[in-house]
Amino acid sequence: MRGVRRAILAVCFGVAGAILVRLAGASPTAPEQGGWRELRGEELR
Amino acid sequence: MTPGSTGAPAAVVVGAGTVGVRCARELLGSGPDGRPSVGALTVVTRRTDRRGTLAAAFGSEASVAVDSGGGLADLVRGADVVVVTRAAGEQLDVARAALDGGAHVVTTSDDPDEVRGLLDLRERARASDRSVVVGAAMAPGLSCLLVRHAAALLDEVDEVHVARAGAGGPACARQRRRALRGPAVEWRDGEWVERPGFSGRELVWFPDPTGGSDCYRAGLADPLLVADAMPHLRRVSARLAASRVDRLTVALPMLIGPPVEGGPGAIRVEVRGSRRGERHDVVYGAFDRPSVAAGATAAVVAVAAGRGSLPPGAYGLARLDAPRGFLQELARRGVRAATFEGSREFGVLDTGSSEDANA
């Protein structure tokens, strides 16, 4: 019985976490990303 | 063939497919100083049915010749530089003929076996004081320039990892399929290791808009050229972006004809090493149609080779000491490289402030 309760609790935490991530505007699967910037100016001289 | 009145080199492009035509177009453009890139240009095709189309497309700017087999030596005679843009696997004989004819040679092959054969021309090229540039396309080619450029930011480089997405014309699409079948070669601690194709899945982040894509080991030529230029490296690998559909169809011959012009593609090079005692990664990339980037890279290198600015021997672009000039010229022609500015906890090296870049 205790195991079932833990499993339900874990699922609830998981669902809540996924909702929070989406509310924060992030993709739940994409890793933390930087960005691409064009090489120019001094970097090519 | 005689050089034009401008003193610019006389060039021959052997292979009038997607990359060859784009390379010829780039060669007809002017250089950074406003002068013509080449003094005379000949485009060689094996397809008699294309002669009229090509002649109409180039008009008086370039002459079009048909290689009906056996007469290639005559077609390349007198050229300062010969750019070989035939399908991978069909470039070695052309390169030999061009070298025998006394021309500098720029090849675009990404077939590992052929690249080995082209690198083996080094002694012959040195003896005749000519340069044979191997793999001057998008990857290898632009990727090798970026590797060299990134390596200059580090005190010590020990790993290089290259990834590519997309293909140029139909011949490139077929070669991509062959590459996925493997085997792949990787440079590990001074030895070549063979791995099966379509193995070692890795999620690679290419420049936008390609973004993240699953990449796999494949029979690519980049490790051969990078390790040839930097034999001290511990690891060199290359991966190719592929989909689940590719996995299902990779063993089959191409049932549906490949597209005349491939879709957008991208490359990403990751150079790992140390600087001032700290571990760093430098990540460079580029996004463009592979045939456009390949044609421009081959053309820019061909102009330098035709002017005698490259050292004698056979080598890839990772061996060039001054890749910046080439990258700058490629950027002027619209093929722009990018740097990945990741989060600092992963140790990605700052390659220059945005303020500097915009100055």
Side-chain angles (χ1 to χ4, degrees), chain A:
Chain A
M1 197 61 192
R2 192 180 290 171
V4 174
R5 236 182 264 157
R6 280 183 182 172
I8 291 169
L9 205 59
V11 169
C12 289
F13 273 124
V15 170
I19 290 168
L20 282 172
V21 165
R22 283 178 193 277
L23 283 176
S27 163
T29 51
E32 181 73 27
Q33 283 293 296
W36 288 93
R37 178 180 58 75
E38 191 181 319
L39 281 177
R40 56 172 71 178
E42 288 301 315
E43 291 165 303
L44 292 179
R45 285 206 189 105

Side-chain angles (χ1 to χ4, degrees), chain B residues 300-316:
Chain B
V300 167
V301 173
V303 172
R307 288 182 175 158
S309 309
L310 301 183
Y315 45 81

Side-chain angles (χ1 to χ4, degrees), chain B:
Chain B
M1 170 176 287
T2 52
S5 56
T6 56
V12 175
V13 176
V14 180
T18 316
V19 174
V21 169
R22 292 197 184 276
C23 176
R25 280 268 165 242
E26 290 291 336
L27 286 170
L28 289 171
S30 52
D33 51 3
R35 292 188 301 164
S37 299
V38 291
L41 177 66
T42 303
V43 179
V44 179
T45 178
R46 283 178 295 190
R47 292 173 54 184
T48 46
D49 58 313
R50 288 208 70 196
R51 184 180 195 161
T53 314
L54 291 166
F58 288 113
S60 60
E61 292 181 295
S63 52
V64 178
V66 174
D67 173 23
S68 46
L72 196 61
D74 290 334
L75 294 171
V76 300
R77 185 167 295 131
D80 295 307
V81 60
V82 173
V83 188
V84 193
T85 54
R86 278 192 182 160
E90 300 177 13
Q91 300 194 8
L92 186 54
D93 289 341
V94 184
R96 282 197 189 115
L99 198 56
D100 290 344
H104 297 285
V105 186
V106 175
T107 65
T108 53
S109 178
D110 62 345
D111 175 66
D113 289 336
E114 190 167 55
V115 162
R116 284 189 196 98
L118 288 163
L119 289 173
D120 285 344
L121 294 176
R122 64 169 61 89
E123 291 308 325
R124 210 157 139 184
R126 276 187 201 137
S128 54
D129 197 28
R130 289 290 176 269
S131 48
V132 176
V133 180
V134 185
M138 188 177 192
L142 179 55
S143 58
C144 295
L145 286 174
L146 291 174
V147 165
R148 189 72 192 187
H149 188 43
L153 292 171
L154 300 168
D155 298 330
E156 213 169 284
V157 179
D158 45 37
E159 291 189 29
V160 171
H161 304 281
V162 180
R164 184 189 104 194
C172 187
R174 288 194 188 93
Q175 175 58 27
R176 175 182 172 277
R177 181 76 67 92
R178 279 195 292 272
L180 282 169
R181 288 181 201 137
V185 285
E186 290 186 356
W187 181 252
R188 285 193 173 218
D189 299 317
E191 283 181 6
W192 288 111
V193 180
E194 265 196 16
R195 293 300 182 92
F198 235 124
S199 64
R201 185 174 72 169
E202 196 174 300
L203 178 62
V204 174
W205 292 90
F206 291 98
D208 299 323
T210 302
S213 187
D214 279 334
C215 291
Y216 302 84
R217 291 192 189 101
L220 300 170
D222 298 73
L224 295 170
L225 294 169
V226 173
D228 179 64
M230 306 175 188
H232 63 277
L233 293 177
R234 273 185 43 238
R235 286 187 63 189
V236 186
S237 73
R239 280 176 165 72
L240 192 53
S243 67
R244 290 187 178 94
V245 177
D246 287 318
R247 187 180 278 284
L248 282 173
T249 58
V250 71
L252 303 171
M254 252 181 184
L255 300 174
I256 304 167
V260 172
E261 167 73 76
I267 54 169
R268 179 186 196 273
V269 304
E270 185 170 349
V271 178
R272 299 176 184 167
S274 59
R275 188 184 185 188
R276 295 188 198 117
E278 284 182 18
R279 294 289 301 169
H280 282 292
D281 287 2
V282 183
V283 181
Y284 284 158
F287 168 84
D288 214 321
R289 284 185 183 278
S291 60
V292 173
T297 305
V300 167
V301 173
V303 172
R307 288 182 175 158
S309 309
L310 301 183
Y315 45 81
L317 295 178
R319 198 175 270 261
L320 295 181
D321 288 331
R324 286 184 183 210
F326 292 98
L327 292 171
Q328 208 170 18
E329 177 57 8
L330 283 168
R332 193 186 69 81
R333 291 172 183 255
V335 179
R336 295 188 173 90
T339 179
F340 180 75
E341 294 181 319
S343 15
R344 288 291 169 268
E345 59 262 32
F346 294 117
V348 176
L349 188 67
D350 189 359
T351 55
S353 70
S354 300
E355 290 76 20
D356 287 345
N358 294 328

